Amino acid sequence: MIEEGSKRGKAMVEKRQLFMEMRAQNFDVIRLSTYRTACKLRFVQKRCNLHLVDVWNMIEAFRDSGLNTLDHNAEINVSRLETILSSIYYQLNKRLPTTHQINVEQSIGLLLNFMVATYDSEGHGKLTVFSMKAMLATMCGGKIVDKLRYVFSQISDSSGVMVFAKFDQFLREVLKLPTAVFEGPSFGYTEHSVRTCFPQQKKILLNTFLDVLMADPPPQCLVWLPLMHRLANVENVFHPVECSYCRSESMMGFRYRCQQCHGYQLCQSCFWRGHANGPHSNQHQMKEHSSWKSPAKKLSHAISKSLGCVPIGEPPHPVFPEQAERPQELTHTVVLESPSRLDEEHRLIARYAARLAAEAGNSTQQCPPTDLSFNFDANKQQRQLIAELENKNREILQEIQRLRLEHEQASQPTPEKAQQNPTLLAELRLLRHRKDELERRMSALQESRRELMVQLEGLMRLLKSQSGGSPHSSPSHGAGCSMPMPIRSTSAGSTPTHTPQDCLAGVGGDVLEAFAQGVPRNLRNDLLVAADSITNTMSSLVKELHSVDDGAEEEETNMRNGGDRGTVRAQKH
C-alpha cells in the first residue's frame, strides 16, 4: 500500500511538472492573447523536445506504428501511446549526434502527461487515433506548409476534396491545445469555428486550404499556429538596435517599429507587455520585423524593387497539383513489407543480370577462340553469384518481416489479470526491454541490407566497366580503375559519390585487396574472390538472424509460462 501510494504521488508530481515550469516563465504578463498562447505552446514544444522531431519523421512513426491503418475514431490506451512515444524519441536519439542526445525517459513522461491532460480529462485512459495525430503533427518541428498538407490528407476524400465534418473534427482536437495551456476563452472550440475559416460552402481543394490557413491574417481561431512557427524562426535573430523603452542596446527575436513615432522601436519583451514612454502610445500601429537590414541593404532592395528585379507579392506557398495525392503517408518509401517494393528490387537485380549477360555475350564474340571457354565459365559464375545474392536478399526481407510481426504482437495491450499481478508486470517490463533490443537489432539488419545493395550495385558497375574494356588491356589498368561512380543511397535523400573501394568497404579484406590500385592481379579472379566474400558475409548475417529469432521465441515461451504461473498464483490467493 505504501509503495502504491508513493507511485501515485510521483505520477501526480510528474503530471504537474510541465505546467509548473510553464507558470514559472510568467507568460501571463503578455497582454496579447495570440502571443501569449504561441509562447506557451512553444515552451511545451521545446520542453518535450518535439521541436527536434521533423513532421516527416512523425508521419513515418505513425506509419511504422500502424496508425495509418486504423480508423480516426479508434481508441488506443495509454500503454500503447507510451510505446509509440518511446519509438519516436529513441529514433530521434539515433539521428542526433552523441553530443546532443536528449533524456528520452524525461521527454516521454512530460509529453505523455501533457497529452493525457489535454485529451483525456475524464480519466478513461484512452485517446483517439485522430486526436493523437492532430496533436503530434501540430506540435512537432518542420514547416507549417508540410504540416497542413498532412492535415489535409487526413480530412479529404479520395478525390482530394476537403470533408467539412472531418475539418470540424480537426478543429475540435487542435483547439484543445490552447485550452490545455489555459487560453480556452480566447481560442477554444465553438460551433462557428468552421464557418470562420470557410464562410461559404464550396469545394475546398489543397491549394485553397493552404491559401486560407496561411493567409495574412489567418482565421482567428488558428492565428496562434503560424505565430508559433514564426517564434521558432526568430529566436536567434539579432537586431543591433536600441530599445526605446528598456534602453537595451540590442534585440533578440521580434522587433517592433512604430508607424507614427519616428525612430521609436521596441523589443519583443517590452511590446508584449505593453510598455510605452514619451509621445508613443499603445494605440499606435506597430510593424513587426523578423530580420535586420542595414540602411545600405534597404537602399539596394528599394532600387531593385523599383527596377522590377524583386518580385512583389510572392505566394505564401508553392502551388500543388489539384488531383488527389497522399505524399504525406510516405507510401512510396522503403517499406520492407510492401510486395511492390520487393518486386521492384528483384526486377532491378534481374535487369542487372540480363544486362551483364548481354554485355558478356558481346565481349565473347570479340575475344580470341582460346579465351571462349574461360569467358563462358566466368559469365556462368557471375550469374550464379547474382542469383545467390538475390536469394539471400529475399531471405533477409522475410526474416525482418517476421521479426516486425513479433514486435507488433508483443506491443499488444496486456490483459487485466496481468495488470493486477505484480509478478506478471515485472515479466512484461522485461519483455518490453527485450522488444527494444529486437527493434535495434532489426534496424541494424536493415542497414546491413542497404549496404549489401550498395555493394551489389558497385560490383555490377565494375563488371560492366571490365566487360566493356579492351580484351588486350593490361591487368594493372583494370584493377587500378578509380573513376568515382554516383550511387543512390536508400537511407538518405542525397546521392553521394563512392569509389569502387568505398562500395565494397566492410565485406572483407580480400575484397579491398582485390580492388586496390596498382596490384597486378587478374581482375576476373579478383571478382570471384569478392563474390565469395559477399556470399560468406550474407550467410553469417542469416545465421545471426536465426539466432535472434530463436531468442525471441524462447522469450515468448517464458512469457507464456510466466503468465500461467501468475494466473495460478492469483487463483490461490
Side-chain angles (χ1 to χ4, degrees), residues 83-244:
T83 302
I84 295 173
L85 297 182
S86 301
S87 175
I88 291 173
Y89 282 115
Y90 278 114
Q91 291 297 326
L92 171 62
N93 254 358
K94 290 180 181 179
R95 295 189 297 269
L96 294 176
T98 55
T99 56
H100 292 76
Q101 298 285 296
I102 65 171
N103 188 334
V104 173
E105 297 298 332
Q106 186 184 51
S107 300
I108 294 173
L110 291 174
L111 181 56
L112 182 65
N113 291 323
F114 179 76
M115 295 182 67
V116 171
T118 304
Y119 295 100
D120 187 32
S121 57
E122 298 181 359
H124 297 303
K126 294 181 179 180
L127 281 74
T128 64
V129 172
F130 189 67
S131 62
M132 192 189 70
K133 283 184 175 181
M135 186 273 175
L136 293 178
T138 303
M139 295 294 291
C140 68
K143 298 179 179 179
I144 186 173
V145 63
D146 296 332
K147 295 182 180 181
L148 294 177
R149 288 179 63 196
Y150 173 71
V151 169
F152 187 83
S153 70
Q154 300 297 301
I155 62 175
S156 58
D157 57 17
S158 58
S159 60
V161 179
M162 188 189 77
V163 180
F164 276 84
K166 292 184 177 180
F167 179 66
D168 181 76
Q169 184 182 6
F170 167 73
L171 287 182
R172 288 178 183 269
E173 302 299 337
V174 77
L175 291 181
K176 290 179 181 179
L177 292 173
T179 304
V181 293
F182 315 108
E183 296 296 334
S186 300
F187 299 107
Y189 172 81
T190 63
E191 297 180 356
H192 306 288
S193 297
V194 176
R195 292 300 165 208
T196 59
C197 298
F198 301 99
Q200 300 177 358
Q201 181 80 18
K202 58 182 180 180
K203 183 178 179 181
I204 305 299
L205 300 176
L206 174 59
N207 291 309
T208 306
F209 180 79
L210 295 177
D211 289 339
V212 172
L213 267 65
M214 296 182 66
D216 187 16
Q220 180 59 30
C221 61
L222 295 174
V223 68
W224 52 269
L225 181 58
L227 178 58
M228 186 176 69
H229 287 78
R230 297 208 311 271
L231 282 174
N233 294 331
V234 303
E235 283 182 347
N236 298 319
V237 174
F238 176 78
H239 304 269
V241 181
E242 182 184 30
C243 177
S244 299

Side-chain angles (χ1 to χ4, degrees), residues 14-45:
E14 291 179 350
K15 185 176 182 179
R16 298 194 185 110
Q17 178 182 353
L18 184 63
F19 295 100
M20 293 172 61
E21 293 180 3
M22 184 179 65
R23 288 184 182 276
Q25 299 295 318
N26 201 20
F27 291 123
D28 290 331
V29 300
I30 301 176
R31 63 187 180 97
L32 300 176
S33 60
T34 304
Y35 288 92
R36 189 168 59 243
T37 304
C39 288
K40 289 181 178 180
L41 292 177
R42 175 61 177 169
F43 173 80
V44 174
Q45 181 190 49

Side-chain angles (χ1 to χ4, degrees), residues 439-453:
E439 288 180 352
R440 290 191 293 269
R441 183 62 178 171
M442 185 176 66
S443 299
L445 292 174
Q446 292 176 357
E447 186 63 26
S448 300
R449 176 178 161 273
R450 293 190 184 98
E451 294 178 357
L452 170 65
M453 295 298 296

Side-chain angles (χ1 to χ4, degrees), residues 317-375:
H317 65 84
V319 179
F320 298 98
E322 294 294 349
Q323 63 269 20
E325 59 177 353
R326 291 289 191 276
Q328 294 79 14
E329 292 290 352
L330 302 182
T331 54
H332 301 293
T333 56
V334 179
V335 183
L336 298 179
E337 308 85 287
S338 175
S340 61
R341 177 64 185 177
L342 300 180
D343 295 340
E344 180 183 354
E345 293 179 350
H346 295 162
R347 287 196 299 268
L348 177 63
I349 297 176
R351 188 162 62 250
Y352 278 141
R355 185 184 303 173
L356 179 64
E359 293 176 354
N362 295 334
S363 61
T364 301
Q365 297 176 0
Q366 299 175 0
C367 292
T370 56
D371 296 333
L372 288 177
S373 60
F374 176 79
N375 290 336

Side-chain angles (χ1 to χ4, degrees), residues 374 385 459 463 475 478-480 504 510-516 519-533:
F374 176 79
L385 170 63
L459 181 59
L463 291 174
L504 297 174
D510 48 357
V511 179
L512 296 178
E513 182 181 359
F515 291 100
V519 180
R521 297 180 57 182
N522 190 289
L523 180 57
R524 299 183 184 274
N525 293 335
D526 293 340
L527 290 174
L528 295 179
V529 173
D532 292 338
S533 178

Side-chain angles (χ1 to χ4, degrees), residues 413-471:
T414 58
E416 295 181 358
K417 293 182 179 180
Q419 295 180 359
Q420 298 174 359
N421 194 323
T423 305
L424 281 182
L425 286 177
E427 294 179 355
L428 288 175
R429 292 191 187 96
L430 294 176
L431 181 60
R432 179 177 295 180
H433 290 301
R434 177 59 177 168
K435 184 175 75 67
D436 293 338
E437 294 177 0
L438 289 175
E439 288 180 352
R440 290 191 293 269
R441 183 62 178 171
M442 185 176 66
S443 299
L445 292 174
Q446 292 176 357
E447 186 63 26
S448 300
R449 176 178 161 273
R450 293 190 184 98
E451 294 178 357
L452 170 65
M453 295 298 296
V454 174
Q455 295 169 7
L456 178 61
E457 188 170 355
L459 181 59
M460 293 302 101
R461 292 178 181 275
L462 287 173
L463 291 174
K464 177 180 177 181
S465 61
Q466 187 271 339
S467 300
S470 174

